[in-house]
């Protein structure tokens, strides 16, 4: 039976991360609305988007390619959070929280990649 991307634990975790990032950016100064806030929202959204797009592809190599892109978007999200820390928009405590969340999504994503590699 066909499984929807919405059933994937990695997609669910990416969705939670995206929502938390969006809430965080609402605390940033207005001047960052179309700069750092927008970049953070886009990169965090891209994780789930790539997982879902890959899930809809026919071949395992296609699915894997999109998972690798999603992993890159996780790294990009962390980089933007480091920028927010450097600008003093977030605290060390906040970035440490998001590092853990990003690591969690990354572990799930790596597990999904391993699963897909086993189906080749």
């Amino acid at each position: 039976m066909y499984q929807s991307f919405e059933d994937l634990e990695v997609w669910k975790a990416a969705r939670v991360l995206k929502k938390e990032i969006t809430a965080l950016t609402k605390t940033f100064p207005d001047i960052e609305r179309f700069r750092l806030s927008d970049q953070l929202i886009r990169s965090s959204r891209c994780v789930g988007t790539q997982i879902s797009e890959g899930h809809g592809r026919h071949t395992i190599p296609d699915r894997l390619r999109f998972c690798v892109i999603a992993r890159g978007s996780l790294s990009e999200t962390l980089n933007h959070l480091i920028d927010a820390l450097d600008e003093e928009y977030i605290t060390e405590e906040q970035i440490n929280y998001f590092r853990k969340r990003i690591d969690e999504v990354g572990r799930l994503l790596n597990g999904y990649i391993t699963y897909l590699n086993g189906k080749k």
Side-chain angles (χ1 to χ4, degrees):
M1 184 165 170
Y2 181 78
Q3 179 187 35
S4 168
F5 68 85
E6 294 173 287
D7 296 325
L8 298 172
E9 292 303 316
V10 64
W11 181 85
K12 291 176 187 177
R15 183 179 183 203
V16 171
L17 176 65
K18 170 192 71 172
K19 291 169 84 175
E20 290 178 333
I21 292 287
T22 299
L24 177 70
T25 62
K26 290 179 181 176
T27 67
F28 289 5
D30 287 341
I31 193 168
E32 292 293 356
R33 183 173 177 201
F34 297 109
R35 297 187 319 196
L36 184 56
S37 295
D38 185 58
Q39 289 178 310
L40 251 172
I41 290 168
R42 285 173 182 256
S43 65
S44 67
R45 284 181 179 173
C46 192
V47 179
T49 299
Q50 297 302 321
I51 293 166
S52 64
E53 185 169 354
H55 186 271
R57 297 297 172 133
H58 183 67
T59 67
I60 298 299
D62 277 347
R63 291 179 184 186
L64 286 166
R65 184 169 48 89
F66 282 95
C67 286
V68 170
I69 294 168
R71 199 164 44 193
S73 295
L74 271 176
S75 292
E76 181 183 356
T77 300
L78 177 58
N79 183 72
H80 293 317
L81 287 167
I82 292 167
D83 290 341
L85 178 68
D86 291 346
E87 295 297 324
E88 300 179 353
Y89 299 151
I90 63 173
T91 65
E92 286 284 342
E93 184 178 317
Q94 288 173 303
I95 198 166
N96 289 337
Y97 171 81
F98 280 103
R99 279 183 197 276
K100 289 177 187 171
R101 300 292 290 132
I102 288 168
D103 286 347
E104 176 187 329
V105 175
R107 280 192 301 277
L108 289 169
L109 187 54
N110 287 336
Y112 185 49
I113 289 169
T114 300
Y115 167 77
L116 290 173
N117 273 320
K119 294 186 71 131
K120 283 201 236 175

